[in-house]
Amino acid sequence: MSKFLDLGSDIIVPGPLIAFADSRPLVAPAPFADAVDHWRFGTRAGDRTGLVNGRVLRRGLAVTDFISNGSGYTSRPTATFSGGGANGLVGQTEINGGIVYSVGYSGQPINDEGAVTVVLAGGGGAGAAVTMGRGTEPAYSDYYATVGAGNHNGLVSDIDDALVFSEAYLIRRPNEAQRIGGTLKFVSASRGYAVGGDGYAWSANGAQLQIQGRADLDDVITPSSAWGVGQWGVLIVSYTSTTRTAMAFGSDGVPVTAARTYPKNLADPQRKRAIGGIHWDFGTSNSPIDISSYAYWSYALTAGQMASRAFDMLDYARDADLID
């Protein structure tokens, strides 16, 4: 059965789920029909196609080596991408203290197999050079995928960053630092909050969930004991034009919430929503991510709607034997 009964959404055609002694859904919850898309990983190896609208997640691309940061830069140099994997991408850079400290991109990789070469030019400086690495295919189990370590191994959607939206992750809690997803770049250098975007991460030893965007308006959530290290739970976040609400649900369905007034800065240049640390430009040693489901909505879910959708994700995890 559905462990969590929501009268506003569960008692609809084909009717309420029937209680059984093993506390599992009689029928696994359907994908979220109101989502821009909803991905479930692992039921078919290698499948990164959404179940609602068929939108495809692409294998990642990110800097794997700063050959040189260069010197003397007074403005952001141009990053020109070329090679078989460059189609659909526009390079972008950030500088700090006269050096180039990050190279990223707008767009979704269309060819997620081909290599990409970057040439940096202009900006009043010289000498900066980087190597971009192409992510490998995640490893698939029956009901989840393991996204490999390193920023380049994330997955990139075709969904632009926005000021109003919601998204949810069914993930396993790690025992080390890990970037979960988003559009965030490091905000404490020359352009500060103007780089925009948002993101989520686990702190060292998986002790806390970090809800990030502006350094002065970040939040942390310490999950309940029901979401222990190595166990599955749901992170769901909703943005209105003026607020941000984040909820963490363990297997008991009791949320730990962080909510605040939050004037988000849109990603500038625009960036696509991603799983992993694709856009994060401060360190490249992110740990592997076990993810079972990801969903994105183009509107702000209410607190009640967030709970309802988290319960559905937990019921799916229960049906898949990821949680008891």
Side-chain angles (χ1 to χ4, degrees):
M1 71 169 189
S2 173
K3 183 179 177 69
F4 312 104
L5 183 62
D6 174 27
L7 297 177
S9 62
D10 286 345
I11 303 180
I12 56 175
V13 176
L17 300 174
I18 302 171
F20 278 78
D22 63 1
S23 294
R24 298 191 185 283
L26 179 62
V27 178
F32 300 121
D34 62 336
V36 172
D37 225 324
H38 183 181
W39 291 266
R40 285 174 173 166
F41 302 99
T43 53
R44 289 181 295 175
D47 188 5
R48 293 178 262 113
T49 302
L51 301 174
V52 178
N53 291 308
R55 301 172 86 133
V56 179
L57 296 171
R58 301 293 185 184
R59 285 166 46 187
L61 176 75
V63 171
T64 52
D65 182 33
F66 257 97
I67 299 170
S68 171
N69 294 101
S71 62
Y73 290 94
T74 57
S75 63
R76 291 181 289 153
T78 299
T80 302
F81 286 19
S82 61
N87 186 23
L89 304 181
V90 177
Q92 54 185 245
T93 64
E94 299 294 334
I95 63 171
N96 193 42
I99 67 171
V100 176
Y101 82 87
S102 79
V103 176
Y105 54 86
S106 296
Q108 182 194 39
I110 304 303
N111 174 352
D112 59 6
E113 301 283 341
V116 172
T117 299
V118 183
V119 174
L120 303 176
V130 300
T131 299
M132 301 290 285
R134 171 67 67 197
T136 58
E137 187 71 32
Y140 295 93
S141 301
D142 286 343
Y143 290 99
Y144 67 92
T146 300
V147 178
N151 296 14
H152 61 297
N153 278 317
L155 298 172
V156 187
S157 77
D158 66 346
I159 302 169
D160 282 338
D161 188 39
L163 298 179
V164 177
F165 70 95
S166 305
E167 62 186 355
Y169 299 80
L170 173 58
I171 49 179
R172 194 200 303 263
R173 182 177 175 179
N175 62 357
E176 55 189 332
Q178 176 193 90
R179 297 212 64 81
I180 299 167
T183 57
L184 186 63
K185 295 177 78 70
F186 191 53
V187 300
S188 296
S190 57
R191 286 207 301 146
Y193 306 145
V195 301
D198 62 275
Y200 325 111
W202 290 99
S203 64
N205 302 319
Q208 292 178 317
L209 279 164
Q210 300 172 331
I211 315 300
Q212 301 171 313
R214 291 180 48 171
D216 62 335
L217 294 175
D218 291 346
D219 287 309
V220 295
I221 295 175
T222 301
S224 72
S225 59
W227 191 358
V229 170
Q231 297 177 334
W232 292 85
V234 173
L235 171 65
I236 185 164
V237 185
S238 175
Y239 285 82
T240 73
S241 59
T242 57
T243 64
R244 178 184 68 197
T245 303
M247 294 181 175
F249 292 80
S251 59
D252 62 353
V254 178
V256 181
T257 302
R260 65 162 66 234
T261 299
Y262 185 80
K264 179 186 168 179
N265 291 47
L266 193 67
D268 178 23
Q270 180 61 265
R271 296 182 286 278
K272 303 292 186 182
R273 310 268 346 143
I275 296 171
I278 291 289
H279 303 298
W280 185 246
D281 44 34
F282 192 71
T284 57
S285 58
N286 293 314
S287 63
I289 303 168
D290 286 342
I291 181 167
S292 178
S293 183
Y294 169 64
Y296 179 94
W297 295 265
S298 60
Y299 67 97
L301 296 170
T302 67
Q305 290 170 329
M306 293 171 73
S308 173
R309 286 151 179 78
F311 295 163
D312 273 0
M313 278 192 163
L314 292 173
D315 280 336
Y316 174 76
R318 189 169 288 103
D319 184 63
D321 285 324
L322 297 178
I323 61 177
D324 297 327

